[in-house]
Amino acid sequence: MIIGLEVHIQSKTKSKMFCACDANYFGDEPNTHVCPVCLGLPGALPVPNKKAIDLCIKLALALNCRINRQTKFDRKNYFYPDLPKGYQISQYDQPIGENGFIEIDIKGDARRIRVKRVHQEEDTGKSIHKGDSTFLDFNKSGVPLIEVVSEPDMTTKEEVIKYAKRLRQIVRYLDISNADMQKGQMRFELNMSLREVGDNNLPKYKVEVKNIGSISVLEKVIDVEFTRQSKILDEGNVPDQETRGLKDMSGVTLSQRKKEGEADYRYFPEPDIPLIEFSTKYIENIKKQIVELPQEKKYRYVQKLGLEPDTAEVIISDVQRYKFFEKLIDGIDDKKFIKELAKWYIGDYAGIIKQGKYDKDNVSIENFKKLIKLLLDKKITGRATKDVLLEMFKTGNDPETIVKEKGLEVVQDDSLIERTVKEVIDENQKVVEDLKKNPNAIGFLIGQVMKKMQGKADAEKVREKLAFALNLED
Ligand code: ZN
Ligand code: MN
């Protein structure tokens, strides 16, 4: 597979790209966020939104692009009922950013997917088809869109999905957009073709699939197109160079039109907006606002904090999640403690939150840390830690109180453990016999001791005592 992705991202601004209309239109009555500019009325003049351009520069910088010091807007001419002025204001030969990349991890290796360009444009209106009629809503018309175009560097579905997710994370980290797919704030266009294994030339054709509104649909489209294009190629034909649309959410695509070339858009400079120049200082100021990005954060978590890459990936994948985690480990130097906190945070803690039954404010950061400290100090067992955490969510109590109330402290009394071990050995002579053939049977005996002690013994210690009593080597 040869895959390139074009991603449209609605940036988070108060007003639209070229007029003062409120850009926050979602769910409002149709045609209530409109003016002569975004309705495309003759004579109306566009004025670029500075905030939108700043956000576009910010994203281009975050994607390692070179910023064009001089940028301009161009008209991309085509007619569609939801684009009444007959052109979209976009950028052609001097986009804001060019030649960047996004780094993704594939099976433990970092891979760079090149970003060809990052440019600023405006959204169109929305056509609503009902029965024989089409209705038009211009609330979305003129909302700022950033378009990120990759090079055709991806060859597997996994790469495409990781690229899309990493881009979405970056956009959210920088607060450029909520990238809420349900609200259409991030949309994909897939460019895909196939070639024989071992062939290094770009295929002679390219199929574009427009308006993919979610990552799960994107995955399905790749599968469906792979099968469709393979079949045509296997029959000795070349798939048409065309634009396809989604039939439904199953990923099946339908031909919409044979693909236009760039010439069909008759790009030319937008005469109503002058050239825009950025000073070095201006760009430097935007650069300073860029926070630590997901990939760097992941490296830091792995290299400096000692987390497993998979654990780090889970934590960095969400802004709220990494922010909470960083508060959790604030001021802690002990790597073992940090690792254990990370494990319980993305494990049991996240699991209980996911159930949605308890108020997450019931477990303060301090109490959560205290709980994990009790475990590390072997005051409670892993089993008890789970129970105490759940109880903390239910009651909001601190872990020491719960441990005391429920009597969950690990038994430190060695003679009690030894007595219990002896009881279990006496009661399970058959299993003890069996141990010679099946050394794993010791697990059963440990379990029996733990059961008798209501899970309050340190399992390692029980194992030692059992091994000693039974004269076993390790
Ligand atoms: Zn307007
Ligand atoms: Mn576009």
Side-chain angles (χ1 to χ4, degrees):
M1 287 190 271
I2 307 293
I3 296 175
L5 212 59
E6 288 170 29
V7 186
H8 284 96
I9 299 150
Q10 238 177 46
S11 38
K12 221 194 240 182
T13 55
K14 277 204 180 71
S15 57
K16 291 188 182 179
M17 189 60 221
F18 299 111
C19 60
C21 290
D22 184 353
N24 202 349
Y25 64 87
F26 194 83
D28 286 355
E29 279 288 297
N31 300 311
T32 52
H33 293 233
V34 291
C35 75
V37 173
C38 54
L39 284 170
L41 298 186
L45 290 171
V47 178
N49 182 331
K50 180 168 174 286
K51 176 76 192 286
I53 290 175
D54 287 356
L55 292 177
C56 187
I57 295 174
K58 201 175 185 180
L59 182 58
L61 286 168
L63 302 184
N64 311 290
C65 287
R66 175 173 62 77
I67 305 297
N68 279 318
R69 292 314 161 92
Q70 194 180 64
T71 195
K72 71 175 169 59
F73 285 99
D74 299 276
R75 291 187 180 180
K76 183 181 181 181
N77 296 281
Y78 66 99
F79 176 74
Y80 207 73
D82 56 28
L83 185 68
K85 61 183 187 296
Y87 57 87
Q88 179 192 30
I89 304 179
S90 181
Q91 296 197 282
Y92 184 53
D93 53 345
Q94 285 169 257
I96 285 182
E98 287 181 280
N99 299 329
F101 62 87
I102 293 179
E103 209 164 86
I104 54 173
D105 294 317
I106 299 292
K107 297 180 183 76
D109 279 331
R111 261 215 73 188
R112 279 183 182 185
I113 307 299
R114 288 173 299 159
V115 169
K116 189 176 179 185
R117 52 189 281 137
V118 174
H119 73 244
Q120 183 64 54
E121 58 183 36
E122 57 175 341
D123 210 343
T124 62
K126 188 180 176 191
S127 300
I128 303 152
H129 306 284
K130 270 193 186 144
D132 292 339
S133 307
T134 294
F135 298 86
L136 293 165
D137 174 8
F138 291 99
N139 284 350
K140 188 165 76 75
S141 171
V143 163
L145 283 186
I146 301 174
E147 182 170 335
V148 177
V149 183
S150 85
E151 294 284 0
D153 281 354
M154 291 167 276
T155 57
T156 63
K157 188 168 73 173
E158 187 192 5
E159 288 175 350
V160 180
I161 302 312
K162 288 199 165 162
Y163 172 91
K165 286 188 174 167
R166 193 60 99 222
L167 177 56
R168 184 174 60 180
Q169 288 159 5
I170 293 170
V171 160
R172 288 178 176 164
Y173 269 49
L174 296 173
D175 206 23
I176 284 169
S177 169
N178 293 335
D180 184 338
M181 310 243 169
Q182 248 110 46
K183 294 183 179 171
Q185 291 167 350
M186 190 173 187
R187 281 121 57 185
F188 304 103
E189 275 161 50
L190 177 77
N191 284 297
M192 177 168 162
S193 46
L194 305 180
R195 69 181 173 201
E196 293 279 349
V197 173
D199 183 356
N200 290 322
N201 299 312
L202 280 186
K204 288 182 193 68
Y205 76 98
K206 187 170 85 178
V207 173
E208 184 181 23
V209 184
K210 277 188 132 30
N211 279 321
I212 303 170
S214 82
I215 290 180
S216 61
V217 174
L218 179 62
E219 279 191 83
K220 290 180 192 155
V221 171
I222 293 171
D223 288 336
V224 167
E225 274 301 302
F226 181 78
T227 310
R228 191 187 70 82
Q229 294 180 26
S230 296
K231 190 163 173 279
I232 296 170
L233 289 162
D234 287 344
E235 286 163 355
N237 300 314
V238 177
D240 285 332
Q241 170 110 353
E242 61 181 350
T243 298
R244 301 178 70 87
L246 291 179
K247 183 172 159 246
D248 48 40
M249 293 302 134
S250 71
V252 174
T253 63
L254 297 173
S255 180
Q256 280 182 337
R257 54 178 192 261
K258 301 301 155 199
K259 176 116 180 92
E260 307 83 347
E262 271 182 358
D264 297 316
Y265 287 124
R266 294 155 10 254
Y267 277 101
F268 65 83
E270 165 60 62
D272 291 332
I273 303 174
L275 288 174
I276 299 170
E277 285 188 43
F278 307 113
S279 67
T280 307
K281 202 175 150 221
Y282 192 80
I283 292 171
E284 285 304 315
N285 272 334
I286 294 176
K287 208 176 218 164
K288 277 186 211 142
Q289 300 161 22
I290 295 180
V291 296
E292 184 183 44
L293 295 171
Q295 193 75 1
E296 300 166 58
K297 202 180 272 303
K298 184 176 174 183
Y299 285 150
R300 181 168 65 83
Y301 283 4
V302 172
Q303 282 160 4
K304 300 258 162 68
L305 304 182
L307 299 191
E308 295 299 326
D310 287 348
T311 306
E313 182 71 43
V314 172
I315 297 173
I316 63 115
S317 68
D318 181 83
V319 172
Q320 304 303 328
R321 199 178 294 155
Y322 88 69
K323 284 192 172 162
F324 185 92
F325 176 69
E326 289 185 1
K327 262 192 236 159
L328 192 61
I329 62 162
D330 186 37
I332 302 176
D333 289 325
D334 179 0
K335 278 192 189 173
K336 206 174 154 208
F337 193 12
I338 291 174
K339 250 181 129 160
E340 203 65 24
L341 282 167
K343 184 183 130 194
W344 284 85
Y345 174 49
I346 65 168
D348 284 66
Y349 180 95
I352 295 172
I353 297 274
K354 214 172 164 192
Q355 294 174 20
K357 282 197 258 179
Y358 311 105
D359 184 356
K360 74 174 178 11
D361 291 335
N362 273 351
V363 178
S364 70
I365 283 180
E366 279 321 305
N367 281 343
F368 187 48
K369 283 201 282 201
K370 273 188 211 162
L371 173 68
I372 304 307
K373 194 88 179 54
L374 289 174
L375 171 69
L376 282 177
D377 292 347
K378 303 207 161 163
K379 298 237 169 69
I380 53 175
T381 62
R383 176 68 250 166
T385 307
K386 281 175 186 283
D387 297 341
V388 176
L389 182 61
L390 184 61
E391 201 57 27
M392 286 163 72
F393 271 106
K394 283 182 183 166
T395 61
N397 283 345
D398 62 88
E400 288 101 332
T401 310
I402 296 168
V403 168
K404 216 165 263 160
E405 271 176 14
K406 305 214 156 214
L408 289 168
E409 269 147 284
V410 166
V411 175
Q412 304 292 356
D413 179 356
D414 279 16
S415 65
L416 177 58
I417 300 175
E418 281 156 16
R419 276 202 307 279
T420 315
V421 161
K422 197 168 175 306
E423 271 174 49
V424 166
I425 291 173
D426 291 345
E427 288 163 14
N428 295 280
Q429 278 303 314
K430 250 188 86 124
V431 182
V432 172
E433 273 307 301
D434 212 35
L435 264 177
K436 288 174 197 119
K437 280 175 289 172
N438 175 20
N440 288 334
I442 190 135
F444 173 80
L445 297 175
I446 296 172
Q448 292 303 305
V449 176
M450 294 297 273
K451 203 168 156 195
K452 273 185 187 278
M453 300 186 68
Q454 285 118 32
K456 289 184 288 187
D458 176 31
E460 246 340 283
K461 197 170 241 173
V462 172
R463 178 188 290 277
E464 277 167 30
K465 299 278 178 204
L466 264 167
F468 183 76
L470 293 165
N471 275 322
L472 300 174
E473 299 291 316
D474 276 286

